[in-house]
């Protein structure tokens, strides 16, 4: 779709049960854990998108047998117990942050030289803190252009034990990457232990909770000292398993927001209060805005009211849903302030600035600081073509704005393929009342 995609405003409140595809964050973690395990794992309910295809393709290039069944939303992975057959590889990972960060740590287990690269935007996204931590653990891991960004070159002779101090205020993915590979560190139990101490405030802590819970499910233990220090005994192993992947909570946020915006109802099966994904807490923000939220063992449902209230909320922990909130904030009564989100400037785009720019294009008054946005109510939004900056969440978030505001068109709508390839089909079904 080369031309901007015009969003059709809804003429009545939504009333739908929406099936959301599998979580990208869980799928890419499960692919890595399955590769680290010994034996054959089956991943069910997996997401097939640009990011997960990059991850699966890279693992195959490294010698891990990965068989994809897209029609069944499943992967079959023959793990090598942490052994990497390939001694040399050049991996292209698009703009998939999870893939390049997880795999940079993964190839530290190998014996050889590995280069990891991506698109131009990926070459602007920092990875230096992860490389520094790997060097502290004896791995020759460097940015090819000495700028702390990809391309990355890792020359490894296996991952040994040791201590590393890691800055974790830019991305939680650095810590997740180190945690997942650490149980496979070489050496006996004494020499192979890894201790990671954090420097600064941890960004997006729920993603670390997800990583720890998944590691435990796959059979590895981590000593966690209040999310400040982690000790992982070396020489552990992961067990191959049959693993079911939850629907993507970040993807669900757009449809929950549609219920809030139209005063309607949306139910998403497969999510609950005990989900692995912290982004389920987005519905609690909607509750603060005046929505009714129902949690069940096998679904979450949001029912919108007559009006939305502006909120003042710290969204560091659920930062992938910042854009969803920003997209509906102009329709609230009172200003909405979103705080403690400076790290999202280092995502697929500078998301704080991109949100401010596109909201202003719609005629919304916005105040931008280094780590916050304040969005004021707007009586009526201007028609506009929304630039998406090759960022899937820009496209999906402002599509929800278009459900209430006539004339909103999304540029480069195909960028949603990164995490939600059939988003437009499902949104169209929502608009047509088919869900």
């Amino acid at each position: 779709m080369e031309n901007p995609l015009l969003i059709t405003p809804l003429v009545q409140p939504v009333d739908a049960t929406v099936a959301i595809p599998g979580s990208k964050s869980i799928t890419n973690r499960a692919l890595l854990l399955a590769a680290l395990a010994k034996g054959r794992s089956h991943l069910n309910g997996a997401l097939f998108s640009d990011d997960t295809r990059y991850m699966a393709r890279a693992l195959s290039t490294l010698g891990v047998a990965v068989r994809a069944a897209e029609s069944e939303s499943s992967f079959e992975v023959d793990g090598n117990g942490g052994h990497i057959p390939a001694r040399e590889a050049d991996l292209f990972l698009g703009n998939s942050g999870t893939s390049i960060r997880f795999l940079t740590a993964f190839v530290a287990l190998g014996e050889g030289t590995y280069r990891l690269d991506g698109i131009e935007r990926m070459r602007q996204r920092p990875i230096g803190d992860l490389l520094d931590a790997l060097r502290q653990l004896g791995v020759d891991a460097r940015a090819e252009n000495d700028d702390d960004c990809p391309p990355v070159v890792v020359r490894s002779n296996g991952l040994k034990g040791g201590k590393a101090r890691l800055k974790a205020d830019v991305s939680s993915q650095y810590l997740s990457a180190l945690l997942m590979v650490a149980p496979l560190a070489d050496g006996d139990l004494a020499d192979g232990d890894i201790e990671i101490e954090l420097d600064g405030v941890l960004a997006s802590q729920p993603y670390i909770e997800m990583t720890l819970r998944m590691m435990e499910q796959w059979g590895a233990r981590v000593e966690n000292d209040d999310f400040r220090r982690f000790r992982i005994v070396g020489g552990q192993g992961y067990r191959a398993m049959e693993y079911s992947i939850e629907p993507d909570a970040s993807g669900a946020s757009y449809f929950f927001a549609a219920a809030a915006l139209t005063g309607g109802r949306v139910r998403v099966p497969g999510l609950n209060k005990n989900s692995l994904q912290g982004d389920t807490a987005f519905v609690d923000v909607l509750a603060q805005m005046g929505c009714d939220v129902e949690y069940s063992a096998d679904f979450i449902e949001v029912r919108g009211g007559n009006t939305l209230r502006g909120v003042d909320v710290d969204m560091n922990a659920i930062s992938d849903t910042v854009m969803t909130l920003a997209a509906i904030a102009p329709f609230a009564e009172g200003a909405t302030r979103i705080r403690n989100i400076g790290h999202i400037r280092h995502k697929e785009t500078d998301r704080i600035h991109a949100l401010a720019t596109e909201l202003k294009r719609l005629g919304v008054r916005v105040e931008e600081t280094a780590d916050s946005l304040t969005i004021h109510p707007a009586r009526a939004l201007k028609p506009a073509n929304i630039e998406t900056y090759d960022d899937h969440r820009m496209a999906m978030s402002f599509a929800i704005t278009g459900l209430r505001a006539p004339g909103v068109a999304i540029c480069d709508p195909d960028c949603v393929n990164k995490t939600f390839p059939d988003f437009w089909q499902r949104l169209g079904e929502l608009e047509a009342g088919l869900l």
Side-chain angles (χ1 to χ4, degrees):
M1 292 182 283
E2 294 183 358
N3 296 322
L5 177 66
L6 182 65
I7 306 301
T8 303
L10 293 176
V11 297
Q12 61 187 15
V14 299
D15 185 11
T17 296
V18 183
I20 301 294
S23 161
K24 177 206 73 173
S25 298
I26 296 178
T27 299
N28 268 359
R29 282 167 173 79
L31 282 167
L32 185 67
L33 292 170
L36 290 165
K38 192 168 182 60
R40 180 168 296 173
S41 294
H42 297 269
L43 311 181
N44 303 310
L47 174 68
F48 280 83
S49 69
D50 288 350
D51 279 17
T52 60
R53 290 189 185 96
Y54 281 128
M55 185 71 167
R57 193 177 302 130
L59 289 171
S60 295
T61 300
L62 292 168
V64 179
V66 179
R67 289 170 292 279
E70 292 204 23
S71 62
E72 300 172 9
S73 300
S74 68
F75 286 103
E76 186 177 81
V77 182
D78 290 338
N80 299 316
H83 172 66
I84 299 178
R87 299 182 67 89
E88 185 174 342
D90 197 334
L91 307 176
F92 179 79
L93 298 161
N95 198 17
S96 176
T98 54
S99 298
I100 201 164
R101 290 158 182 168
F102 292 177
L103 290 167
T104 294
F106 178 65
V107 297
L109 296 170
E111 295 183 357
T113 301
Y114 310 94
R115 184 178 183 273
L116 302 90
D117 198 5
I119 66 170
E120 186 59 33
R121 172 58 184 169
M122 179 65 83
R123 291 184 167 199
Q124 301 167 4
R125 298 179 67 181
I127 197 170
D129 294 335
L130 174 58
L131 302 180
D132 180 61
L134 287 170
R135 287 195 294 270
Q136 293 174 57
L137 295 171
V139 179
D140 182 0
R142 303 191 180 278
E144 189 173 78
N145 297 322
D146 294 323
D147 58 358
D148 285 342
C149 294
V152 168
V153 176
V154 179
R155 297 178 178 86
S156 182
N157 189 30
L159 181 63
K160 313 301 180 185
K163 294 183 179 182
R165 190 169 181 86
L166 172 68
K167 289 185 64 177
D169 57 347
V170 171
S171 175
S172 64
Q173 292 169 5
Y174 306 152
L175 177 57
S176 284
L178 291 172
L179 288 171
M180 285 188 286
V181 302
L184 279 298
D186 291 339
D188 59 32
L189 291 184
D191 294 336
D193 292 358
I194 287 180
E195 185 175 295
I196 304 167
E197 184 174 355
L198 298 190
D199 181 9
V201 178
L202 174 62
S204 303
Q205 180 175 309
Y207 283 98
I208 300 305
E209 294 170 358
M210 173 194 293
T211 298
L212 295 173
R213 287 175 64 183
M214 289 184 68
M215 289 174 65
E216 183 178 6
Q217 289 170 339
W218 290 74
R221 302 180 310 280
V222 178
E223 296 177 18
N224 174 12
D225 182 8
D226 196 29
F227 293 92
R228 300 299 309 158
R229 184 180 291 103
F230 302 85
R231 182 174 178 272
I232 308 96
V233 173
Q236 298 185 65
Y238 291 109
R239 58 174 178 269
M241 64 185 300
E242 188 101 7
Y243 194 80
S244 295
I245 292 165
E246 297 175 358
D248 193 288
S250 306
S253 74
Y254 310 113
F255 294 91
F256 289 139
L261 197 57
T262 66
R265 179 197 70 90
V266 164
R267 173 179 292 187
V268 174
L271 294 176
N272 58 52
K273 211 172 185 68
N274 296 317
S275 168
L276 286 168
Q277 301 168 80
D279 280 356
T280 55
F282 177 71
V283 298
D284 298 330
V285 178
L286 295 179
Q288 293 179 50
M289 300 182 82
C291 297
D292 291 325
V293 176
E294 180 182 354
Y295 287 99
S296 169
D298 55 5
F299 68 81
I300 297 176
E301 182 172 292
V302 171
R303 295 181 293 275
N306 293 326
T307 59
L308 288 174
R309 296 189 295 267
V311 292
D312 186 331
V313 59
D314 182 332
M315 294 190 75
N316 182 280
I318 55 170
S319 60
D320 276 349
T321 61
V322 164
M323 306 166 90
T324 319
L325 176 58
I328 64 173
F331 302 96
E333 293 184 350
T336 290
R337 183 169 176 244
I338 308 172
R339 296 178 280 107
N340 199 16
I341 55 169
H343 63 286
I344 73 171
R345 290 189 183 275
H346 305 288
K347 296 281 191 174
E348 283 81 346
T349 187
D350 177 342
R351 286 179 168 171
I352 293 178
H353 186 65
L355 283 169
T357 300
E358 300 312 307
L359 286 167
K360 290 174 183 177
R361 197 187 304 275
L362 292 167
V364 179
R365 184 160 66 94
V366 182
E367 295 156 13
E368 172 187 351
T369 73
D371 68 348
S372 74
L373 280 172
T374 300
I375 302 163
H376 295 272
R379 288 175 180 252
L381 271 60
K382 300 176 182 177
N385 290 349
I386 300 298
E387 296 295 336
T388 50
Y389 309 86
D390 198 24
D391 189 334
H392 55 132
R393 299 207 186 282
M394 287 292 291
M396 293 185 282
S397 297
F398 280 95
I400 304 307
T401 308
L403 297 181
R404 275 276 300 270
V408 173
I410 307 299
C411 299
D412 186 24
D414 282 351
C415 67
V416 302
N417 291 335
K418 187 176 194 298
T419 56
F420 203 153
D422 62 349
F423 174 80
W424 300 117
Q425 175 186 334
R426 297 188 194 216
L427 187 69
E429 292 170 350
L430 186 74
E431 292 170 337
L434 298 177
L435 291 173

